[in-house]
């Protein structure tokens, strides 16, 4: 499974990656994780082909919702926004 994590906080990104690798171990489903520290860097390097994009909502400059909106403007098939509290 190809996964993108867009998270600006190092500790949060590390904890989330740990969970994803735990999922890999427990299910046997291989995960390939690409990490970006900002919405800008994600969009600049975006080439598509991901199964899941996990995005932090609260980031400086371009927040997660605006990043998802920008992504949707050039790749409608890639984005489905899930909100959680």
């Amino acid at each position: 499974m190809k996964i993108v994590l867009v998270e600006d906080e190092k500790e949060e990104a590390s904890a989330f990656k740990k969970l994803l690798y735990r999922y890999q171990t427990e299910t046997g489903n291989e995960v390939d994780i690409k990490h970006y520290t900002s919405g800008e860097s994600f969009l600049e390097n975006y080439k598509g082909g991901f199964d899941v994009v996990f995005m932090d909502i609260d980031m400086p400059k371009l927040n997660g919702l605006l990043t998802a909106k920008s992504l949707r403007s050039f790749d409608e098939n890639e984005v489905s926004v899930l909100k959680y509290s």
Side-chain angles (χ1 to χ4, degrees):
M1 181 179 335
K2 292 184 178 185
I3 299 172
V4 173
L5 174 60
V6 184
E7 171 60 67
D8 61 324
E9 295 184 30
K10 186 177 179 178
E11 297 80 18
E12 295 294 327
S14 179
F16 204 87
K17 286 179 191 178
K18 237 184 215 183
L19 290 173
L20 292 171
Y21 287 125
R22 179 177 169 191
Y23 166 82
Q24 175 179 268
T25 300
E26 291 179 358
T27 65
N29 294 321
E30 186 175 339
V31 295
D32 177 16
I33 304 167
K34 183 74 175 166
H35 175 221
Y36 295 96
T37 58
S38 71
E40 297 89 353
S41 64
F42 168 64
L43 292 173
E44 288 170 7
N45 294 289
Y46 179 77
K47 293 187 180 27
F50 300 108
D51 298 306
V52 180
V53 176
F54 292 103
M55 192 165 319
D56 183 7
I57 298 299
D58 187 21
M59 294 185 289
K61 292 186 183 178
L62 191 60
N63 69 40
L65 294 176
L66 291 175
T67 302
K69 184 176 180 180
S70 294
L71 176 58
R72 187 177 291 128
S73 74
F74 61 86
D75 191 346
E76 291 180 3
N77 296 323
E78 197 70 38
V79 179
S80 180
V81 176
L82 300 174
K83 294 182 180 179
Y84 63 92
S85 54

